[in-house]
Amino acid sequence: MAIRTEGRKKSPARLTKSLSVAGTALLAFVGVSMPAPASAHGVAMYPGSRTYLCYLDMLESGNQTPSNPACADAVAETGTTPLYNWFAVLDSNGGGRTEGYIPDGEICSGGHNGPYDFSSYNAARTDWPTTHLTSGANIEIQYSNWAAHPGDFDVYLTKEGWNPNQPLSWSDLELVDSVTDPPQSGSAGSNGGYYYWDVQLPERSGQHIMFIHWIRSDSQENFYSCSDVVFDGGNGEISW
């Protein structure tokens, strides 16, 4: 399986700077645009989800078109509104349901049941922003707590031999970790606040998707997050 190496890479230090910029912009956006009462929000910040990293890319580009080709094509298909709501890949009636409820090929968008159109972020392609990881390593997942709620986080990873050029299906995914009510860093709704917990990565090689399903225990609302990762001995660097 070919590993994508072209494009710019961002070090963890530069990524931290970008997170600060994104958080400041998000505070301004939510302050003027989010209706009250706000729904819960959340998506993976590390490894960064497709919507989150495309949003950061759009901010850095200085215009409404991300520089990454997959992100740019997603914006061309469904506009910038999904990116300004990168934290809201949701289904208010998800109720913890997975296979048989969310169709194959629509997993990254949670089955298109939310208020925003994230359908373009299901595209099967190898040039999404990608986080470089090491097989078998212990990493800290960071998941936005823009609005905090109790519940479970199920972490899935595509199986060895998965083909990134095919639509993602439930049979491609393996549950590798589950956690209930993990701790938080930063207050809910704060600049850069997130849930965090450690995950021991299984043995993998090449390109994969990490899918995280947040199942709220105080309502039927669920959140969905797809992060593109590559196992090549990396330590969190990002190829854009």
Side-chain angles (χ1 to χ4, degrees), residues 92-127:
S92 295
N93 298 299
R97 291 173 289 181
T98 55
E99 188 172 5
Y101 177 70
I102 300 173
D104 288 345
E106 298 180 12
I107 296 172
C108 292
S109 66
H112 313 334
N113 293 316
Y116 306 106
D117 185 0
F118 289 102
S119 59
S120 61
Y121 295 88
N122 289 309
R125 51 193 297 170
T126 61
D127 55 353

Side-chain angles (χ1 to χ4, degrees), residues 76-99:
E77 182 177 341
T78 55
T80 59
T81 297
L83 287 190
Y84 283 111
N85 294 277
W86 55 269
F87 41 76
V89 186
L90 63 88
D91 181 351
S92 295
N93 298 299
R97 291 173 289 181
T98 55
E99 188 172 5

Side-chain angles (χ1 to χ4, degrees), residues 166-204:
Q166 297 295 321
L168 182 64
S169 67
W170 288 106
S171 63
D172 295 323
L173 293 168
E174 177 186 358
L175 181 66
V176 298
D177 188 74
S178 294
V179 63
T180 300
D181 298 337
Q184 302 177 55
S185 175
S187 300
S190 68
N191 184 353
Y194 53 82
Y195 295 99
Y196 65 94
W197 67 95
D198 290 339
V199 171
Q200 185 75 37
L201 297 171
E203 294 297 320
R204 292 289 191 274

Side-chain angles (χ1 to χ4, degrees), residues 23-44:
T24 301
L26 185 58
L27 281 171
F29 171 75
V30 173
V32 300
S33 302
M34 187 60 65
S39 299
H41 315 124
V43 79

Side-chain angles (χ1 to χ4, degrees), residues 15-162:
L15 177 59
T16 300
K17 181 179 179 181
S18 293
L19 298 188
S20 177
V21 171
T24 301
L26 185 58
L27 281 171
F29 171 75
V30 173
V32 300
S33 302
M34 187 60 65
S39 299
H41 315 124
V43 79
M45 297 171 68
Y46 181 82
S49 73
R50 290 179 176 178
T51 59
Y52 182 57
L53 292 184
C54 286
Y55 172 69
L56 294 186
D57 190 15
M58 183 175 68
L59 288 186
E60 287 205 349
S61 74
N63 54 49
Q64 297 294 292
T65 303
S67 60
N68 173 272
C71 298
D73 286 350
V75 167
E77 182 177 341
T78 55
T80 59
T81 297
L83 287 190
Y84 283 111
N85 294 277
W86 55 269
F87 41 76
V89 186
L90 63 88
D91 181 351
S92 295
N93 298 299
R97 291 173 289 181
T98 55
E99 188 172 5
Y101 177 70
I102 300 173
D104 288 345
E106 298 180 12
I107 296 172
C108 292
S109 66
H112 313 334
N113 293 316
Y116 306 106
D117 185 0
F118 289 102
S119 59
S120 61
Y121 295 88
N122 289 309
R125 51 193 297 170
T126 61
D127 55 353
W128 291 103
T130 300
T131 302
H132 295 250
L133 300 174
T134 294
S135 181
N138 189 13
I139 67 169
E140 181 182 276
I141 301 291
Q142 297 177 3
Y143 199 100
S144 172
N145 68 342
W146 192 257
H149 290 275
D152 300 325
F153 293 84
D154 290 342
V155 181
Y156 297 80
L157 195 64
T158 46
K159 300 173 183 176
E160 189 70 359
W162 170 70

